[in-house]
Amino acid sequence: MKHTARQSPTRTLATLIRAMDDQRAVTITYISSDGEESVRTIEIHDIRTTRAGRIIIRAMCRMRGEIRTFHPEQIVTYTVHRMGFAMDAPADETPSTHMAKTPRRLISLELDRDYPADPVALAA
């Protein structure tokens, strides 16, 4: 079990991206927005950045049996398992077009969003 407070957010995110790429289930201890702590086993299908710049994880939750959104900063602990995915994402769940498969790609996408290469946008 990894405690997110004991490692950098980049390392946590990189591990979760690797779990998504390898299609490995992840058990998380998660604090909901109302302060409730729960343990969930999830299958990560997408990690994306919202327009506001917040990173979100879209995953099938084995407890709920449906796709859910998780915020990395609310994950307290996690364990990546050897077991693969057992659930399919709903057909209407479209993966992000800016999916990052590596930490380097995620950082690149973030920088491109914040500092576009278009000189006209930079001048504005």
mmCIF file of all heavy atoms in Angstrom, residues 73-102:
data_model
loop_
_atom_site.group_PDB
_atom_site.id
_atom_site.type_symbol
_atom_site.label_atom_id
_atom_site.label_comp_id
_atom_site.label_asym_id
_atom_site.label_seq_id
_atom_site.Cartn_x
_atom_site.Cartn_y
_atom_site.Cartn_z
ATOM 1 N N GLU A 73 -6.109 14.125 -5.637
ATOM 2 C CA GLU A 73 -5.759 14.730 -4.347
ATOM 3 C C GLU A 73 -6.612 14.181 -3.193
ATOM 4 O O GLU A 73 -6.291 14.394 -2.031
ATOM 5 C CB GLU A 73 -5.836 16.257 -4.405
ATOM 6 C CG GLU A 73 -7.218 16.818 -4.626
ATOM 7 C CD GLU A 73 -7.641 16.926 -6.082
ATOM 8 O OE1 GLU A 73 -6.917 16.461 -6.977
ATOM 9 O OE2 GLU A 73 -8.736 17.479 -6.319
ATOM 10 N N GLN A 74 -7.677 13.447 -3.505
ATOM 11 C CA GLN A 74 -8.523 12.860 -2.475
ATOM 12 C C GLN A 74 -8.214 11.371 -2.240
ATOM 13 O O GLN A 74 -8.866 10.728 -1.442
ATOM 14 C CB GLN A 74 -9.992 13.063 -2.843
ATOM 15 C CG GLN A 74 -10.401 14.534 -2.767
ATOM 16 C CD GLN A 74 -11.801 14.769 -3.259
ATOM 17 O OE1 GLN A 74 -12.022 15.056 -4.428
ATOM 18 N NE2 GLN A 74 -12.759 14.632 -2.360
ATOM 19 N N ILE A 75 -7.201 10.865 -2.953
ATOM 20 C CA ILE A 75 -6.761 9.488 -2.742
ATOM 21 C C ILE A 75 -5.710 9.496 -1.641
ATOM 22 O O ILE A 75 -4.694 10.176 -1.745
ATOM 23 C CB ILE A 75 -6.200 8.878 -4.042
ATOM 24 C CG1 ILE A 75 -7.303 8.803 -5.107
ATOM 25 C CG2 ILE A 75 -5.602 7.497 -3.768
ATOM 26 C CD1 ILE A 75 -6.827 8.357 -6.470
ATOM 27 N N VAL A 76 -5.960 8.753 -0.578
ATOM 28 C CA VAL A 76 -5.069 8.723 0.576
ATOM 29 C C VAL A 76 -4.021 7.613 0.426
ATOM 30 O O VAL A 76 -2.845 7.821 0.689
ATOM 31 C CB VAL A 76 -5.875 8.521 1.881
ATOM 32 C CG1 VAL A 76 -4.969 8.476 3.091
ATOM 33 C CG2 VAL A 76 -6.928 9.612 2.025
ATOM 34 N N THR A 77 -4.475 6.429 0.025
ATOM 35 C CA THR A 77 -3.575 5.301 -0.217
ATOM 36 C C THR A 77 -4.031 4.578 -1.471
ATOM 37 O O THR A 77 -5.196 4.700 -1.888
ATOM 38 C CB THR A 77 -3.564 4.290 0.947
ATOM 39 O OG1 THR A 77 -4.852 3.705 1.066
ATOM 40 C CG2 THR A 77 -3.155 4.931 2.256
ATOM 41 N N TYR A 78 -3.113 3.811 -2.053
ATOM 42 C CA TYR A 78 -3.484 2.994 -3.205
ATOM 43 C C TYR A 78 -2.596 1.763 -3.284
ATOM 44 O O TYR A 78 -1.476 1.760 -2.768
ATOM 45 C CB TYR A 78 -3.406 3.789 -4.513
ATOM 46 C CG TYR A 78 -1.997 4.186 -4.903
ATOM 47 C CD1 TYR A 78 -1.230 3.361 -5.712
ATOM 48 C CD2 TYR A 78 -1.443 5.378 -4.456
ATOM 49 C CE1 TYR A 78 0.064 3.724 -6.062
ATOM 50 C CE2 TYR A 78 -0.164 5.748 -4.806
ATOM 51 C CZ TYR A 78 0.586 4.911 -5.613
ATOM 52 O OH TYR A 78 1.864 5.270 -5.956
ATOM 53 N N THR A 79 -3.120 0.735 -3.919
ATOM 54 C CA THR A 79 -2.377 -0.487 -4.206
ATOM 55 C C THR A 79 -2.715 -0.890 -5.632
ATOM 56 O O THR A 79 -3.898 -1.024 -5.970
ATOM 57 C CB THR A 79 -2.787 -1.641 -3.257
ATOM 58 O OG1 THR A 79 -2.537 -1.235 -1.914
ATOM 59 C CG2 THR A 79 -2.025 -2.906 -3.558
ATOM 60 N N VAL A 80 -1.697 -1.065 -6.458
ATOM 61 C CA VAL A 80 -1.901 -1.557 -7.818
ATOM 62 C C VAL A 80 -1.789 -3.079 -7.760
ATOM 63 O O VAL A 80 -0.825 -3.618 -7.227
ATOM 64 C CB VAL A 80 -0.856 -0.968 -8.791
ATOM 65 C CG1 VAL A 80 -1.056 -1.536 -10.194
ATOM 66 C CG2 VAL A 80 -0.935 0.557 -8.816
ATOM 67 N N HIS A 81 -2.800 -3.749 -8.287
ATOM 68 C CA HIS A 81 -2.863 -5.208 -8.241
ATOM 69 C C HIS A 81 -2.320 -5.844 -9.521
ATOM 70 O O HIS A 81 -2.221 -5.196 -10.550
ATOM 71 C CB HIS A 81 -4.316 -5.672 -8.039
ATOM 72 C CG HIS A 81 -4.911 -5.157 -6.781
ATOM 73 N ND1 HIS A 81 -4.598 -5.675 -5.538
ATOM 74 C CD2 HIS A 81 -5.801 -4.149 -6.552
ATOM 75 C CE1 HIS A 81 -5.275 -5.018 -4.604
ATOM 76 N NE2 HIS A 81 -6.010 -4.094 -5.200
ATOM 77 N N ARG A 82 -2.017 -7.121 -9.420
ATOM 78 C CA ARG A 82 -1.612 -7.888 -10.605
ATOM 79 C C ARG A 82 -2.820 -8.239 -11.466
ATOM 80 O O ARG A 82 -2.678 -8.481 -12.654
ATOM 81 C CB ARG A 82 -0.901 -9.169 -10.179
ATOM 82 C CG ARG A 82 0.448 -8.907 -9.600
ATOM 83 C CD ARG A 82 1.174 -10.215 -9.336
ATOM 84 N NE ARG A 82 2.168 -9.971 -8.316
ATOM 85 C CZ ARG A 82 2.422 -10.758 -7.305
ATOM 86 N NH1 ARG A 82 1.773 -11.882 -7.175
ATOM 87 N NH2 ARG A 82 3.330 -10.438 -6.422
ATOM 88 N N MET A 83 -4.005 -8.295 -10.824
ATOM 89 C CA MET A 83 -5.208 -8.679 -11.575
ATOM 90 C C MET A 83 -5.574 -7.601 -12.588
ATOM 91 O O MET A 83 -5.418 -6.405 -12.337
ATOM 92 C CB MET A 83 -6.370 -8.949 -10.626
ATOM 93 C CG MET A 83 -6.941 -7.734 -9.943
ATOM 94 S SD MET A 83 -8.310 -8.147 -8.875
ATOM 95 C CE MET A 83 -7.697 -7.528 -7.328
ATOM 96 N N GLY A 84 -6.047 -8.051 -13.723
ATOM 97 C CA GLY A 84 -6.443 -7.135 -14.781
ATOM 98 C C GLY A 84 -7.867 -6.647 -14.614
ATOM 99 O O GLY A 84 -8.538 -6.932 -13.619
ATOM 100 N N PHE A 85 -8.328 -5.930 -15.619
ATOM 101 C CA PHE A 85 -9.693 -5.402 -15.612
ATOM 102 C C PHE A 85 -10.695 -6.549 -15.719
ATOM 103 O O PHE A 85 -10.476 -7.523 -16.430
ATOM 104 C CB PHE A 85 -9.901 -4.452 -16.789
ATOM 105 C CG PHE A 85 -9.228 -3.108 -16.642
ATOM 106 C CD1 PHE A 85 -8.435 -2.803 -15.554
ATOM 107 C CD2 PHE A 85 -9.388 -2.152 -17.619
ATOM 108 C CE1 PHE A 85 -7.834 -1.566 -15.426
ATOM 109 C CE2 PHE A 85 -8.796 -0.903 -17.502
ATOM 110 C CZ PHE A 85 -8.023 -0.620 -16.412
ATOM 111 N N ALA A 86 -11.808 -6.406 -15.030
ATOM 112 C CA ALA A 86 -12.887 -7.391 -15.077
ATOM 113 C C ALA A 86 -14.176 -6.778 -15.615
ATOM 114 O O ALA A 86 -15.117 -7.493 -15.929
ATOM 115 C CB ALA A 86 -13.135 -7.964 -13.682
ATOM 116 N N MET A 87 -14.204 -5.446 -15.724
ATOM 117 C CA MET A 87 -15.420 -4.746 -16.151
ATOM 118 C C MET A 87 -15.123 -3.953 -17.424
ATOM 119 O O MET A 87 -14.005 -3.499 -17.624
ATOM 120 C CB MET A 87 -15.876 -3.773 -15.056
ATOM 121 C CG MET A 87 -16.088 -4.413 -13.710
ATOM 122 S SD MET A 87 -16.433 -3.190 -12.423
ATOM 123 C CE MET A 87 -18.122 -2.802 -12.810
ATOM 124 N N ASP A 88 -16.149 -3.781 -18.239
ATOM 125 C CA ASP A 88 -16.017 -2.957 -19.438
ATOM 126 C C ASP A 88 -16.592 -1.580 -19.153
ATOM 127 O O ASP A 88 -17.604 -1.456 -18.468
ATOM 128 C CB ASP A 88 -16.774 -3.574 -20.614
ATOM 129 C CG ASP A 88 -16.134 -4.865 -21.092
ATOM 130 O OD1 ASP A 88 -14.889 -4.950 -21.071
ATOM 131 O OD2 ASP A 88 -16.886 -5.776 -21.474
ATOM 132 N N ALA A 89 -15.946 -0.559 -19.705
ATOM 133 C CA ALA A 89 -16.482 0.799 -19.593
ATOM 134 C C ALA A 89 -17.742 0.885 -20.451
ATOM 135 O O ALA A 89 -17.839 0.220 -21.483
ATOM 136 C CB ALA A 89 -15.453 1.811 -20.051
ATOM 137 N N PRO A 90 -18.716 1.685 -20.044
ATOM 138 C CA PRO A 90 -19.915 1.849 -20.861
ATOM 139 C C PRO A 90 -19.554 2.373 -22.249
ATOM 140 O O PRO A 90 -18.585 3.117 -22.414
ATOM 141 C CB PRO A 90 -20.738 2.895 -20.101
ATOM 142 C CG PRO A 90 -20.181 2.915 -18.724
ATOM 143 C CD PRO A 90 -18.758 2.478 -18.832
ATOM 144 N N ALA A 91 -20.325 1.966 -23.242
ATOM 145 C CA ALA A 91 -20.049 2.354 -24.630
ATOM 146 C C ALA A 91 -20.101 3.870 -24.822
ATOM 147 O O ALA A 91 -19.396 4.408 -25.671
ATOM 148 C CB ALA A 91 -21.045 1.676 -25.565
ATOM 149 N N ASP A 92 -20.919 4.566 -24.034
ATOM 150 C CA ASP A 92 -21.039 6.018 -24.192
ATOM 151 C C ASP A 92 -19.901 6.786 -23.514
ATOM 152 O O ASP A 92 -19.828 8.005 -23.609
ATOM 153 C CB ASP A 92 -22.384 6.519 -23.676
ATOM 154 C CG ASP A 92 -22.584 6.260 -22.193
ATOM 155 O OD1 ASP A 92 -21.861 5.416 -21.620
ATOM 156 O OD2 ASP A 92 -23.466 6.904 -21.606
ATOM 157 N N GLU A 93 -18.993 6.094 -22.832
ATOM 158 C CA GLU A 93 -17.855 6.745 -22.173
ATOM 159 C C GLU A 93 -16.741 6.900 -23.202
ATOM 160 O O GLU A 93 -16.101 5.940 -23.602
ATOM 161 C CB GLU A 93 -17.377 5.912 -20.982
ATOM 162 C CG GLU A 93 -16.206 6.509 -20.251
ATOM 163 C CD GLU A 93 -16.536 7.791 -19.497
ATOM 164 O OE1 GLU A 93 -17.708 8.103 -19.266
ATOM 165 O OE2 GLU A 93 -15.577 8.480 -19.130
ATOM 166 N N THR A 94 -16.572 8.129 -23.657
ATOM 167 C CA THR A 94 -15.536 8.381 -24.655
ATOM 168 C C THR A 94 -14.246 8.789 -23.985
ATOM 169 O O THR A 94 -14.231 9.693 -23.158
ATOM 170 C CB THR A 94 -15.952 9.514 -25.615
ATOM 171 O OG1 THR A 94 -16.774 10.426 -24.933
ATOM 172 C CG2 THR A 94 -16.612 9.013 -26.851
ATOM 173 N N PRO A 95 -13.147 8.115 -24.357
ATOM 174 C CA PRO A 95 -11.872 8.523 -23.779
ATOM 175 C C PRO A 95 -11.478 9.905 -24.259
ATOM 176 O O PRO A 95 -11.867 10.331 -25.336
ATOM 177 C CB PRO A 95 -10.885 7.473 -24.270
ATOM 178 C CG PRO A 95 -11.566 6.711 -25.334
ATOM 179 C CD PRO A 95 -13.030 7.004 -25.251
ATOM 180 N N SER A 96 -10.738 10.590 -23.451
ATOM 181 C CA SER A 96 -10.264 11.930 -23.787
ATOM 182 C C SER A 96 -9.341 11.883 -24.983
ATOM 183 O O SER A 96 -8.585 10.930 -25.169
ATOM 184 C CB SER A 96 -9.516 12.505 -22.586
ATOM 185 O OG SER A 96 -8.881 13.690 -22.930
ATOM 186 N N THR A 97 -9.391 12.919 -25.797
ATOM 187 C CA THR A 97 -8.481 12.982 -26.938
ATOM 188 C C THR A 97 -7.095 13.397 -26.490
ATOM 189 O O THR A 97 -6.164 13.326 -27.257
ATOM 190 C CB THR A 97 -8.994 13.994 -27.984
ATOM 191 O OG1 THR A 97 -9.157 15.255 -27.341
ATOM 192 C CG2 THR A 97 -10.297 13.547 -28.590
ATOM 193 N N HIS A 98 -6.962 13.837 -25.275
ATOM 194 C CA HIS A 98 -5.664 14.256 -24.738
ATOM 195 C C HIS A 98 -5.189 13.284 -23.669
ATOM 196 O O HIS A 98 -4.693 13.675 -22.643
ATOM 197 C CB HIS A 98 -5.754 15.668 -24.143
ATOM 198 C CG HIS A 98 -5.907 16.715 -25.180
ATOM 199 N ND1 HIS A 98 -7.109 17.054 -25.712
ATOM 200 C CD2 HIS A 98 -4.989 17.477 -25.810
ATOM 201 C CE1 HIS A 98 -6.940 18.001 -26.611
ATOM 202 N NE2 HIS A 98 -5.663 18.263 -26.696
ATOM 203 N N MET A 99 -5.382 12.005 -23.922
ATOM 204 C CA MET A 99 -4.977 11.018 -22.936
ATOM 205 C C MET A 99 -3.456 10.940 -22.865
ATOM 206 O O MET A 99 -2.785 10.872 -23.874
ATOM 207 C CB MET A 99 -5.549 9.653 -23.303
ATOM 208 C CG MET A 99 -5.346 8.644 -22.223
ATOM 209 S SD MET A 99 -6.591 7.374 -22.224
ATOM 210 C CE MET A 99 -6.013 6.275 -23.461
ATOM 211 N N ALA A 100 -2.945 10.965 -21.664
ATOM 212 C CA ALA A 100 -1.500 10.905 -21.451
ATOM 213 C C ALA A 100 -1.126 9.506 -21.002
ATOM 214 O O ALA A 100 -1.632 9.025 -20.010
ATOM 215 C CB ALA A 100 -1.092 11.930 -20.406
ATOM 216 N N LYS A 101 -0.223 8.886 -21.745
ATOM 217 C CA LYS A 101 0.194 7.530 -21.405
ATOM 218 C C LYS A 101 1.474 7.505 -20.587
ATOM 219 O O LYS A 101 1.848 6.471 -20.063
ATOM 220 C CB LYS A 101 0.367 6.714 -22.675
ATOM 221 C CG LYS A 101 -0.945 6.554 -23.415
ATOM 222 C CD LYS A 101 -0.973 5.280 -24.173
ATOM 223 C CE LYS A 101 -2.314 5.114 -24.815
ATOM 224 N NZ LYS A 101 -2.949 3.894 -24.527
ATOM 225 N N THR A 102 2.143 8.638 -20.496
ATOM 226 C CA THR A 102 3.375 8.703 -19.703
ATOM 227 C C THR A 102 3.365 10.003 -18.909
ATOM 228 O O THR A 102 2.690 10.962 -19.292
ATOM 229 C CB THR A 102 4.631 8.695 -20.602
ATOM 230 O OG1 THR A 102 4.629 9.879 -21.407
ATOM 231 C CG2 THR A 102 4.687 7.461 -21.480
#
